[in-house]
Amino acid sequence: MSGGVQFSECPPSLKNIAHYLKTALEHDSRDIIVAYWSRLYALQLGLKLSSQKPEETKLFLELMDWLEKTKKEHSGNESITNEVAGQAYLENYALKLFLYADKQDREGNFGKNVVKAFYTAGMIYDVLLTFGELTDEVQQNRKYAKWKAAYIHNCLKNGETPVPGPMATGEEGEDNEEEDEETQPSEEAQAPPAVPINPDTGAIDITSPEQLPDPPKEPEKPPGGFQAYVPPGGEEVEQYQPVQGEVSLTPDQISKAQKYCKWAGSALTYDDISTAIDNLQKALRLLKTGQDA
């Protein structure tokens, strides 16, 4: 049951949308915004893949009916009625999952919740395609999250110890739909973790040890390994040549200042003014004095 509606089983011809329908189902009682946009994306994708079989049409009509009723029932929720607000909400939700999973991964805390968090972040980043082309940062996070979910899952399944953080060799590799199908986590691993987010504050509400902790507003250090936070391909940052009286900065210091500025920009996306100011102040201090806060 979902919102009083019993959906038909997803036919094999639409297997590519099953993951998004499952993401929606897992969020029905926790976050109706995620559920709404996940089903809308599944419907849009399904219509493109449709071979016009009766069982496909039946599912599409059920989804359309649910979407229409849900939008009316939540007509006061801008994250459902307004695409801009919905996009911002999903980006924030996926980023919180991503940062939680990345932190746990880097600390060597491997387990089902980390696989779930990476996998669900990847699914929700897919759903953002509803709003158009993805930003470079979202594309990189999406690719990394999907790779990490499959990698950790397969390591645990084979009794191997995963390597924390990004692979130095760039094993996350190219996007490959066939490879994705082969390395999808099991049904148990696909289920999203319990992440109830307070609609008023945007914070994750913790009610049991099984639920994810509220991730920091910014990571202690960048996730790394992908272009969203570091120069692509490990390319070196050209050292800035200071004029008289300025501090000489190393490539690492310049790179760190760039990261502070990027974090400030991300914070402004979610109207987090205090975090944006804090990061800009850190960048200015580093550029002026060479000292990192």
Side-chain angles (χ1 to χ4, degrees), residues 81 111 135 247:
T81 61
T135 65
V247 177

Side-chain angles (χ1 to χ4, degrees), residues 20 22 39 119 181 210 213 223-224 226 250 269 271 275-276:
Y20 308 108
K22 185 171 181 63
R39 284 200 177 92
Y119 181 81
E181 285 295 322
E210 293 300 315
F226 40 96
T250 66
T269 301
D271 296 326
T275 299

Side-chain angles (χ1 to χ4, degrees), residues 25-284:
L25 180 63
E26 293 290 338
H27 282 82
D28 272 329
S29 61
R30 292 201 291 267
D31 195 307
I32 193 63
I33 298 170
V34 174
Y36 177 84
W37 291 107
S38 294
R39 284 200 177 92
L40 179 59
Y41 178 69
L43 174 62
Q44 292 176 342
L45 182 60
L47 289 172
K48 293 178 182 178
L49 300 173
S50 176
S51 53
Q52 299 184 342
K53 295 180 179 179
E55 59 268 31
E56 295 175 351
T57 302
K58 183 180 179 183
L59 178 59
F60 293 154
L61 291 175
E62 292 170 353
L63 289 171
M64 290 176 186
D65 183 59
W66 183 89
L67 289 166
E68 182 180 3
K69 289 181 178 179
T70 301
K71 193 168 187 178
K72 287 181 179 179
E73 291 173 2
H74 298 273
S75 59
N77 190 330
E78 286 193 353
S79 293
I80 287 179
T81 61
N82 183 286
E83 289 193 359
V84 175
Q87 180 179 10
Y89 185 93
L90 290 184
E91 285 184 1
N92 190 35
Y93 188 98
L95 183 61
K96 287 187 176 186
L97 277 177
F98 182 87
L99 293 181
Y100 160 76
D102 182 71
K103 184 174 186 295
Q104 296 300 310
D105 172 49
R106 288 176 178 278
E107 292 176 353
N109 299 325
F110 306 112
K112 291 181 181 179
N113 262 8
V114 175
V115 174
K116 290 176 185 177
F118 269 131
Y119 181 81
T120 306
M123 291 295 99
I124 296 176
Y125 279 134
D126 279 351
V127 173
L128 284 167
L129 288 167
T130 303
F131 309 104
E133 186 176 349
L134 304 179
T135 65
D136 289 342
E137 181 175 354
V138 168
Q139 287 181 17
Q140 293 297 330
N141 287 0
R142 169 187 176 224
K143 179 178 177 181
Y144 186 86
K146 288 186 175 184
W147 167 72
K148 261 296 179 177
Y151 169 71
I152 296 175
H153 170 74
N154 288 334
C155 283
L156 297 178
K157 183 178 66 174
N158 297 328
E160 302 172 357
T161 301
V163 176
M167 286 290 188
T169 56
E171 287 186 19
E172 52 268 41
E174 300 295 328
D175 287 324
N176 186 307
E177 294 300 328
E178 293 183 2
E179 182 179 345
D180 285 346
E181 285 295 322
E182 295 174 358
T183 58
Q184 291 286 5
S186 65
E187 281 297 306
E188 182 179 14
Q190 287 177 22
V195 193
I197 296 183
N198 187 305
D200 297 321
T201 65
I204 295 179
D205 294 331
I206 306 302
T207 58
S208 78
E210 293 300 315
Q211 294 175 337
L212 305 183
D214 191 3
K217 290 184 178 179
E218 67 174 67
E220 295 178 1
K221 56 183 178 179
F226 40 96
Q227 294 176 353
Y229 292 97
V230 296
E235 68 182 49
E236 294 184 1
V237 179
E238 183 179 353
Q239 183 166 345
Y240 171 71
Q241 299 298 323
V243 297
Q244 186 175 3
E246 288 187 344
V247 177
S248 178
L249 300 175
T250 66
D252 286 343
Q253 288 173 318
I254 293 176
S255 179
K256 187 61 178 293
Q258 291 174 330
K259 292 168 188 173
Y260 280 134
C261 291
K262 190 171 190 68
W263 290 332
S266 296
L268 286 175
T269 301
Y270 305 109
D271 296 326
D272 189 349
I273 307 299
S274 61
T275 299
I277 292 175
D278 181 57
N279 280 288
L280 287 174
Q281 288 176 336
K282 289 178 180 178
L284 286 172

